[in-house]
Amino acid sequence: MVREQVRVDTRRLQWKCVESRADSKRLSYGRFILSPLLKGQADTIGIALRRALLGEIEGTCITRAKLANIRHEYSTIVGIQESVHEILMNLKEIVLRSNLYGTCDATICARGPGYITAKDIILPPYVEIVDNTQHIATLTEPIELCIRLQIERNRGYLIKRSKNFEDGSYPIDAVFMPVRNVNHSIHSYGTGTEKHEILFLEIWTNGSLTPKEALQEASRNLIDLFIPFLQTEEENLQLEDNQHMVPLRPSTLPDKLVKIRKNKKKIALKSIFIDQLELPPRVYNCFKRANIHTLLDLLNNSQEDLMKIEHFRIEDVKGILDILEKRFGIDLPKNAFSIHK
């Protein structure tokens, strides 16, 4: 645990982490201060940050499990102590950390007798388990249990539908929010017209993010939400019925905000691995040999560059262009002279 004395600096606005601790692998705590603020500003910032921390940060969860030859969720399996429903509830408790874009698959294949825990899950390299000790099932006989899992990165809640699936595939409730709780409090100081405030912010996370990482991510998301208001001056707009799109005249954003947006976009592209593009095996292997591992790596190449990869064909380039257009709305330049690396 780290604890520091709170010092008030009246010269300029500053933030600081004054307490940090990990109560367990799945519970982290951080306490932060922001000061000096004018009267009323602490409440404005505290409320906005609390909502962003609880609702705007993405997390990773298991959202579906498939067990072969299972008729319904409340079935029991010979040789397994838990019912299918109990196994699904245990899978729901697993906390994941990832750079995943969208969804991916994972598997569990184990043979009894013995205990199955989170460490028995076979994951893609961009997903990791925060606590490997989470119990999943107990095999009481020498049988084999195989479960296919779907992992998703999203935000907020995902409530499963009550429908059972005959193929043995069952949805799992997901709480994507990595932040478990947020409190903010305000300390006022000064006299008369010189009153100032200090904002105290307490954050609890599930271990997939540190409280500091969560605070920074929430702040970036808030900036993104307000950037559209900086893109145009106030205009007299007349909207027709059922008109939802309002064209905005582009204007120059502050350099710091432009840099933040570019950096965030670059980080997002680096977080999308080519494993997630559902490529044909031969194309996937060609990319691996060419050291193209993420979407950002791919976008740093032109169509001409791809054709130089050994065993890569024009049909492969067309397939890649189709995937990029349908999934991301982006394209590759035809030759290397038109690409900005």
Side-chain angles (χ1 to χ4, degrees):
M1 183 178 74
V2 179
R3 186 188 296 269
E4 298 184 18
Q5 295 294 324
V6 177
R7 297 179 181 177
V8 178
D9 185 348
T10 59
R11 293 170 296 178
R12 62 188 181 89
L13 196 62
Q14 292 182 320
W15 76 278
K16 190 174 186 180
C17 178
V18 294
E19 186 177 351
S20 176
R21 67 172 186 264
D23 295 331
S24 68
K25 288 184 178 180
R26 289 188 275 181
L27 183 61
S28 298
Y29 170 82
R31 189 165 183 252
F32 307 86
I33 62 168
L34 179 66
S35 69
L37 296 164
L38 298 178
K39 186 176 181 181
Q41 289 182 338
D43 227 8
T44 301
I45 297 173
I47 293 172
L49 276 175
R50 185 178 189 276
R51 294 184 66 88
L53 283 161
L54 292 174
E56 298 296 329
I57 301 180
E58 292 187 343
T60 306
C61 292
I62 297 172
T63 55
R64 186 173 293 276
K66 182 174 182 178
L67 297 85
N69 302 319
I70 304 299
R71 295 186 62 84
H72 58 80
E73 183 178 338
Y74 297 95
S75 297
T76 57
I77 308 173
V78 176
I80 300 179
Q81 183 173 304
E82 293 81 4
S83 67
V84 174
H85 177 73
E86 289 172 321
I87 292 174
L88 296 178
M89 292 300 99
N90 291 336
L91 291 171
K92 178 182 175 180
E93 295 299 317
I94 294 174
V95 178
L96 301 172
R97 178 185 177 102
S98 79
N99 292 321
L100 176 65
Y101 175 84
T103 63
C104 71
D105 295 328
T107 57
I108 300 173
C109 283
R111 187 169 183 82
Y115 297 98
I116 299 178
T117 62
K119 67 179 177 59
D120 296 304
I121 302 176
I122 303 171
L123 294 165
Y126 41 84
V127 181
E128 62 181 275
I129 298 171
V130 172
D131 184 4
N132 281 325
T133 64
Q134 170 63 43
H135 179 72
I136 297 175
T138 304
L139 305 185
T140 58
E141 297 181 14
I143 64 169
E144 189 174 85
L145 176 64
C146 290
I147 307 175
R148 293 187 61 184
L149 304 174
Q150 176 182 284
I151 295 173
E152 182 178 343
R153 182 176 173 88
N154 211 321
R155 65 187 182 95
Y157 297 92
L158 178 64
I159 306 300
K160 70 177 183 179
R161 293 168 293 180
S162 58
K163 179 182 176 182
N164 287 331
F165 292 78
E166 294 181 358
D167 64 350
S169 174
Y170 298 97
I172 300 174
D173 290 340
V175 181
F176 294 105
M177 302 181 300
V179 176
R180 291 297 184 232
N181 193 21
V182 181
N183 286 336
H184 81 275
S185 57
I186 301 167
H187 171 70
S188 299
Y189 63 96
T191 56
T193 58
E194 295 298 320
K195 278 197 171 184
H196 290 83
E197 295 178 340
I198 303 175
L199 173 65
F200 289 83
L201 198 64
E202 294 180 290
I203 303 172
W204 289 263
T205 70
N206 66 359
S208 62
L209 288 178
T210 66
K212 181 179 178 181
E213 289 172 333
L215 179 58
Q216 292 174 334
E217 180 67 17
S219 300
R220 285 192 292 265
N221 290 340
L222 278 176
I223 290 173
D224 279 352
L225 289 173
F226 287 113
I227 278 179
F229 293 107
L230 302 176
Q231 290 180 322
T232 182
E233 295 178 359
E234 184 179 357
E235 297 178 359
N236 294 322
L237 299 174
Q238 293 182 350
L239 300 180
E240 299 177 0
D241 291 340
N242 300 322
Q243 182 176 348
H244 302 293
M245 300 300 294
V246 181
L248 296 177
R249 184 176 70 248
S251 63
T252 304
L253 291 173
D255 292 340
K256 192 170 184 180
L257 293 182
V258 171
K259 186 176 180 181
I260 289 174
R261 296 190 76 181
K262 287 183 177 178
N263 288 342
K264 189 170 183 181
K265 183 177 181 181
K266 188 173 181 180
I267 291 172
L269 295 177
K270 287 178 67 176
S271 300
I272 303 173
F273 290 79
I274 61 170
D275 312 55
Q276 301 165 237
L277 301 183
E278 299 178 355
L279 301 173
R282 189 176 55 78
V283 174
Y284 175 81
N285 292 331
C286 287
F287 281 164
K288 284 294 185 181
R289 287 194 295 268
N291 290 321
I292 297 175
H293 303 290
T294 67
L295 183 58
L296 182 61
D297 295 336
L298 176 57
L299 296 180
N300 280 336
N301 290 272
S302 64
Q303 298 178 35
E304 182 183 11
D305 293 330
L306 295 184
M307 288 301 299
K308 294 177 183 178
I309 299 176
E310 188 177 3
H311 305 307
F312 215 78
R313 302 192 298 243
I314 185 65
E315 293 81 7
D316 301 329
V317 174
K318 291 179 181 178
I320 293 299
L321 294 177
D322 187 55
I323 291 173
L324 293 177
E325 172 64 28
K326 287 182 178 179
R327 296 189 60 175
F328 307 103
I330 53 182
D331 196 6
L332 288 179
K334 291 186 176 180
N335 55 65
F337 297 104
S338 60
I339 190 167
H340 300 285
K341 295 189 177 183

